[in-house]
Amino acid sequence: MIAYLEHFVHENDSEAMLQQEDEEAATRLCQAMDLEGTIDYRSTAYAGKDFGGLHASTPFAVIRPSGSHDIASVIRFASQSPNLTVAARGNGHSINGQAMANKGLILDMKESSDAVIDLVHYADGYAVDVGGGALWEDVLRWCVSEFGFSPRSWTDYLGLTVGGTLSNAGVSGQTFRYGPQTSNVTELEVVTGNGDTVICSDTQNSELFFSVLGGLGQFGIITRARVLVQPAPDMVRWIRVVYSEFDEFTRDAESLITQSEGESFDYVEGFVFVNSDDPVNGWPSVLLDPDHAFDPSSMTRFENPVLYCLEVALHYSKKNCSATVDTMVEKLLGRLRFIEDTQFQVDLTYVDFLLRVKQAEKQAKANGIWDTPHPWLNLFVSKTSIADFDHYVFKKILKDGIEGPMLVYPILRSKWDERTSVVLPEGDIFYIVALLRFTHPYQKSPSVRDLVLQNHEIIQICARNGFDFKLYLPHYNTEDGWKQHFGDRWSWFVEMKSRYDPMAILAPGQKIFTRHDESC
């Protein structure tokens, strides 16, 4: 059966003959795999790239499965070969080739997603059943329009698949209250590396359930998730305020995330920006509306190379009069110590707020920077190390900006279920640091290689200075790197791999385990 894949390379055949042989080979492969979906081993270039643009590979074929039955069939088919691997690809938004399978089989998960989203009522509230290949932006629109409900926890960018974010964590400005997306699912359908389709939850096949959540695709492919939802608000008051001192910024941010619901905002994030008029890296990046008035003199009196923006949002109903919303906002902001006259705000619908990055995506595509390389770096940094991180990294290495957002905001460890595969720094509070670099095709700027080296430099600074940190969306090329990342969880992680994907068929792009044949 594997010989069929050798039709991937043709040298002397005519185009017509190639097309006919391709169709015949694809038909034979579909029959061999018992597929209801389709297989393509000619138009596969897109599956050998990702958003990061730092790596490329050539898969043997791309399978567009019709459902979990096809996914299980593909995995069982791969297991009969000595070296085939299988990678699930959602929207291809990985940075370091995590969703690739060099000379392996790519499952296009967006093709497998059922468009129907079912509302489920249970004792403590509601949830929705969604396909693992569904995009969160589609889940949002469907849930709000059909049910008036919304998932509780999000990512900033919603053009990602449900299975993709649940295989990592899924974090955003709501995480301080509800935890990551991995803490907001009650049930999964998973196809394991053994080719078994398993329903799992915290009470049923719980070992698989918790290992798959945040498991980097190593134990199974998520084909369905039951996601917690709650009534969706109508509107959002979106606010940004500016700080000159990092300790004041962190003190206020931590105060907000530790308040009880109703006594704080519904969304809390923050970012670092350059103390200059640079349109991308500087003061203008704080404005929420181009019509906002901005007085740069309020910034120039500070000698700090960088400043800090606290970004918050308050949900409200259309039934609330503007005076009520104003009063609540004034009360919450009155506790904070931001720079006077640096408050910027807009009101927009809840759906538009959650899709705010979609507008930035459209601009980036128009400017040609969406499809350029993105050497991003994402970390979790303990509260005990975040001030030193600011000193060594934000104020020194990145004081001129990164041509993109430098996010930094706190999260409560207590909101994370530590039975999942995600590893975290110590302490009750840790910070998300996301260096979301964009490279410009038409501007003179540091090379991608230099930016990647700068990321390595930042990681080395953290390690040399004994910072308590973990990579989020981790990427290591050696087993020692992965052992250090997982720490005392490594032996458990290896045990789960041997149980649910013993031949190391799944997610080879993560470079954690190497494919091997059990029969050898």
Side-chain angles (χ1 to χ4, degrees):
M1 292 182 290
I2 304 306
Y4 297 151
L5 292 174
E6 294 176 358
H7 286 79
F8 177 174
V9 178
H10 302 275
E11 294 182 355
N12 301 315
D13 294 343
S14 69
E15 188 63 32
M17 290 178 63
L18 290 179
Q19 183 175 354
Q20 181 178 354
E21 288 184 6
D22 285 347
E23 292 175 356
E24 292 174 354
T27 299
R28 291 196 296 270
L29 271 172
C30 283
Q31 292 172 345
M33 293 186 187
D34 190 25
L35 292 184
E36 296 177 5
T38 62
I39 186 167
D40 185 350
Y41 51 88
R42 289 297 254 166
S43 303
T44 62
Y46 77 95
K49 303 175 183 177
D50 64 9
F51 182 71
L54 306 175
H55 303 269
S57 69
T58 304
F60 267 131
V62 174
I63 291 100
R64 298 178 176 89
S66 66
S68 56
H69 169 270
D70 278 2
I71 294 170
S73 295
V74 169
I75 293 172
R76 287 194 292 266
F77 177 83
S79 71
Q80 297 173 34
S81 79
N83 51 24
L84 269 181
T85 55
V86 177
R89 187 183 194 274
N91 212 17
H93 209 77
S94 58
I95 301 300
N96 289 293
Q98 289 95 330
M100 297 180 192
N102 190 43
K103 297 182 180 179
L105 305 176
I106 299 291
L107 291 164
D108 189 335
M109 294 302 293
K110 287 197 298 180
E111 297 292 331
S112 72
S113 180
D114 191 337
V116 176
I117 298 174
D118 296 321
L119 185 68
V120 179
H121 180 241
Y122 63 99
D124 296 327
Y126 291 88
V128 290
D129 280 347
V130 299
L135 294 180
W136 283 107
E137 60 189 41
D138 296 329
V139 174
L140 168 66
R141 294 188 183 100
W142 183 285
C143 286
V144 173
S145 63
E146 296 295 319
F147 309 128
F149 282 89
S150 167
R152 308 190 308 174
S153 189
W154 295 99
T155 56
D156 285 330
Y157 175 61
L158 302 189
L160 307 171
T161 59
V162 171
T165 64
L166 293 179
S167 296
N168 289 280
V171 294
S172 184
Q174 305 85 8
T175 304
F176 79 94
R177 176 160 296 157
Y178 299 112
Q181 291 180 317
T182 49
S183 293
N184 287 274
V185 291
T186 62
E187 183 179 284
L188 298 172
E189 179 185 80
V190 174
V191 180
T192 70
N194 295 313
D196 300 323
T197 302
V198 183
I199 304 297
C200 55
S201 68
D202 63 347
T203 58
Q204 179 184 4
N205 299 307
S206 59
E207 202 167 53
L208 177 63
F209 179 72
F210 289 115
S211 63
V212 165
L213 292 172
L216 308 177
Q218 292 302 302
F219 315 112
I221 295 172
I222 297 171
T223 53
R224 180 181 61 80
R226 181 163 292 178
V227 180
L228 293 171
V229 295
Q230 62 187 10
D234 299 316
M235 302 293 294
V236 171
R237 173 74 58 86
W238 184 15
I239 305 164
R240 287 176 175 172
V241 293
V242 175
Y243 293 76
S244 63
E245 303 301 327
F246 190 65
D247 61 343
E248 292 182 347
F249 164 78
T250 56
R251 189 161 57 238
D252 280 355
E254 290 173 16
S255 173
L256 288 175
I257 70 165
T258 52
Q259 299 297 319
S260 60
E261 189 169 357
E263 295 297 321
S264 185
F265 291 99
D266 299 290
Y267 162 100
V268 177
E269 284 198 15
F271 60 91
V272 182
F273 64 99
V274 177
N275 189 6
S276 76
D277 60 358
D278 183 295
V280 175
N281 302 290
W283 312 325
S285 65
V286 175
L287 302 182
L288 292 170
D289 189 311
D291 295 330
H292 279 156
F294 183 76
D295 180 9
S297 64
S298 62
M299 305 296 187
T300 55
R301 70 178 186 267
F302 301 108
E303 296 181 357
N304 309 29
V306 296
L307 301 170
Y308 312 92
C309 179
L310 182 62
E311 183 176 52
V312 296
L314 182 71
H315 299 164
Y316 65 93
S317 167
K318 289 179 179 178
K319 297 177 182 178
N320 294 126
C321 66
S322 59
T324 302
V325 179
D326 291 343
T327 299
M328 184 62 177
V329 167
E330 184 177 349
K331 173 187 174 183
L332 294 175
L333 291 181
R335 306 169 183 169
L336 309 182
R337 288 154 287 195
F338 54 90
I339 300 171
E340 188 177 359
D341 298 325
T342 64
Q343 177 182 334
F344 307 95
Q345 64 185 42
V346 294
D347 290 86
L348 64 172
T349 69
Y350 176 70
V351 171
D352 285 344
F353 172 70
L354 289 178
L355 293 175
R356 64 198 179 279
V357 181
K358 198 72 175 177
Q359 299 306 312
E361 177 187 354
K362 291 179 181 178
Q363 289 184 328
K365 287 182 175 178
N367 295 335
I369 63 173
W370 189 260
D371 296 321
T372 60
H374 301 89
W376 288 6
L377 178 64
N378 298 272
L379 308 99
F380 294 144
V381 181
S382 173
K383 173 183 175 177
T384 60
S385 301
I386 197 64
D388 287 332
F389 187 95
D390 170 65
H391 173 76
Y392 286 104
V393 180
F394 291 137
K395 285 190 171 78
K396 292 185 177 181
I397 297 179
L398 305 179
K399 60 183 176 59
D400 296 320
I402 62 171
E403 299 300 311
M406 296 188 284
L407 304 184
V408 55
Y409 57 94
I411 282 181
L412 296 173
R413 187 189 183 102
S414 61
K415 299 296 182 178
W416 294 62
D417 193 321
E418 296 193 46
R419 292 174 291 180
T420 71
S421 291
V422 183
V423 289
L424 304 172
E426 297 298 324
D428 297 332
I429 293 176
F430 63 93
Y431 279 73
I432 291 175
V433 174
L435 306 180
L436 309 182
R437 305 175 188 271
F438 281 79
T439 56
H440 294 262
Y442 312 117
Q443 297 180 13
K444 185 178 180 180
S445 59
S447 68
V448 174
R449 179 179 179 276
D450 288 341
L451 296 176
V452 170
L453 289 174
Q454 191 177 75
N455 285 342
H456 290 315
E457 180 187 3
I458 291 169
I459 294 171
Q460 289 304 312
I461 284 174
C462 292
R464 283 199 308 268
N465 288 279
F467 293 176
D468 183 11
F469 78 102
K470 293 291 183 182
L471 291 187
Y472 176 51
L473 310 177
H475 175 69
Y476 296 97
N477 289 313
T478 66
E479 184 176 293
D480 285 343
W482 285 110
K483 283 182 177 179
Q484 185 174 4
H485 174 75
F486 284 105
D488 58 11
R489 298 271 286 170
W490 173 247
S491 59
W492 172 83
F493 199 81
V494 171
E495 182 184 350
M496 294 301 99
K497 185 69 171 180
S498 66
R499 185 168 303 175
Y500 297 113
D501 183 24
M503 297 172 68
I505 291 171
L506 299 178
Q510 296 283 2
K511 295 183 172 62
I512 306 176
F513 301 100
T514 302
R515 167 75 158 97
H516 59 273
D517 191 346
E518 274 195 326
S519 62
C520 295

